[in-house]
Amino acid sequence: MKQNIFEKIEILPAYRQVADAIEAQIMKGEIKPEEPIGTEADLVAQFGVNRSTVREGIRLLEQSGMLRRGEKRRLYVSLPGYDKLATRISRSLVLHKVTFRELVETLEILEPNTIAMAAKNITNEQLDRMAKNIEQTEELLEDRDMLSKLDMEYHSLIAEAADNKVFLLAREPAGLLIYPATQYIFEAVPEAPSRLLDAHKKMFEALKTKDVEQARTWMDKHVRDFVKGLLRTGANLDGPIAKPHLDHLLSLDTYL
C-alpha cells in the first residue's frame, strides 16, 4: 500500500462554518444586498451554537464587507466596497513579493485600455469631478502627500468612468501600491509634480472631447513617466515592492 497518499482532513472551527454558511447563501443570491439576516440571537438559535461563535463568524463577514450592523442590532447583507477588496488584494501582492516590473507591466496594459473605455463612456458628472481634482492638484503641487492622494483619486475616476466593474477592481489594488512610490518620485524628481499635472490636463481634454486615441497616447506617456521617475529614485524594478508599501496598506485599516 502506498504511503501518505491522503491529505489530512481539515476540520474548520465552528465560527468559520457559521461565516461560510452565511456567505454561501449570499453568493447564491438567497439573501440579497440590504436584506436583513436577523440579530446575533436569531443566528445563535438557527445555528445551535454559542453566541461567541456566531459573533466571531459575523466579525469575519463584517471585515470582508459582506455584512453590516443596522438599527436594533439587526445584521444586513452589504456589498463589499472597492476600498476593502483592493486593500486585501494589495497586501497579497506585497506578501507574494510582486516586483515593480510586474506592477509596471500590468499598468502598461491596464491603464491605456481603461482610459480608452472611459473616453467612450465618461459622464458630465464624472468630468466635473475630474476637473475639480485637477484644480486641487494645481493648488497643492507643493504638498507631496496630498498630491499622491489626488493622483490616486484621478486614476480611480478614470477607472470608474470606464463603466466596467472588473477594470475598477483591477485598478484599485495597483493604485494603492503606486501611492507610496509617487511620494518618493516627487521628492527625487523636482519636475515630477508639474509633469503629472500636465499629463492629467491633457488626458482630461481628451476625455472631454471623447478622443480615444489621444487619451490612450497620453496615458502611455504618463505610465512611462512613472517608470522613469521610479528609476530616478533608485528603485530596483526587479526587486520585491518594499516594506513601506505594506506599512501604508496596514495604515489604511484606520479608515476602512
Side-chain angles (χ1 to χ4, degrees):
M1 178 179 175
K2 291 183 179 180
Q3 299 296 315
N4 300 325
I5 61 174
F6 299 109
E7 295 181 359
K8 290 182 180 179
I9 296 174
E10 181 184 3
I11 300 174
L12 294 176
Y15 72 88
R16 279 285 305 277
Q17 294 182 53
V18 167
D20 289 349
I22 296 171
E23 183 176 347
Q25 293 299 305
I26 295 171
M27 296 303 293
K28 288 177 187 174
E30 298 293 332
I31 320 170
K32 295 179 172 54
E34 297 310 314
E35 286 186 351
I37 65 166
T39 63
E40 284 185 8
D42 295 330
L43 295 176
V44 166
Q46 289 182 59
F47 283 109
V49 295
N50 61 47
R51 196 170 192 122
S52 63
T53 298
V54 166
R55 187 169 292 150
E56 190 64 17
I58 289 168
R59 186 184 65 81
L60 288 179
L61 294 172
E62 285 180 312
Q63 284 181 338
S64 67
M66 297 190 79
L67 284 185
R68 67 173 180 82
R69 293 181 185 270
E71 296 178 353
K72 298 181 180 179
R73 300 184 179 179
R74 284 187 174 276
L75 294 157
Y76 292 84
V77 175
S78 61
L79 286 173
Y82 288 112
D83 50 4
K84 286 183 180 289
L85 294 170
T87 304
R88 292 169 71 89
I89 296 168
S90 296
R91 288 177 181 173
S92 296
L93 293 175
V94 172
L95 293 173
H96 280 280
K97 301 189 184 302
V98 166
T99 66
F100 273 121
R101 189 177 299 282
E102 290 170 321
L103 178 61
V104 167
E105 286 170 350
T106 302
L107 293 176
E108 287 172 340
I109 296 169
L110 187 62
E111 294 286 70
N113 285 303
T114 301
I115 200 170
M117 290 181 68
K120 297 175 184 177
N121 299 318
I122 197 164
T123 66
N124 288 333
E125 186 270 338
Q126 287 165 338
L127 283 168
D128 288 343
R129 284 157 61 199
M130 199 168 282
K132 185 177 179 181
N133 176 283
I134 290 173
E135 184 180 321
Q136 290 178 311
T137 300
E138 198 156 14
E139 291 171 356
L140 298 168
L141 273 186
E142 300 303 318
D143 187 332
R144 302 313 194 222
D145 183 53
M146 276 304 301
L147 201 56
S148 295
K149 290 176 182 175
L150 287 165
D151 178 50
M152 190 162 67
E153 179 187 85
Y154 184 87
H155 285 270
S156 293
L157 283 169
I158 292 173
E160 178 190 319
D163 197 24
N164 182 306
K165 295 182 183 68
V166 176
F167 269 46
L168 182 56
L169 185 54
R171 203 278 159 193
E172 289 300 289
L176 292 175
L177 295 182
I178 290 167
Y179 171 79
T182 56
Q183 292 182 308
Y184 302 150
I185 292 170
F186 294 149
E187 293 298 328
V189 186
E191 68 273 20
S194 60
R195 288 182 67 85
L196 176 137
L197 176 62
D198 186 51
H200 282 195
K201 285 181 175 180
K202 292 291 198 308
M203 287 187 280
F204 175 75
E205 290 303 317
L207 289 168
K208 193 162 63 171
T209 58
K210 296 191 178 296
D211 189 332
V212 174
E213 288 310 311
Q214 191 72 352
R216 188 189 290 274
T217 295
W218 272 99
M219 183 60 84
D220 279 331
K221 291 180 180 178
H222 196 40
V223 173
R224 287 200 299 272
D225 247 16
F226 173 70
V227 178
K228 290 175 185 175
L230 266 181
L231 292 172
R232 285 181 62 176
T233 68
N236 176 12
L237 294 186
D238 294 308
I241 291 174
K243 181 180 176 293
H245 292 74
L246 184 56
D247 291 341
H248 164 65
L249 295 172
L250 293 173
S251 73
L252 291 176
D253 279 342
T254 309
Y255 308 102
L256 299 182

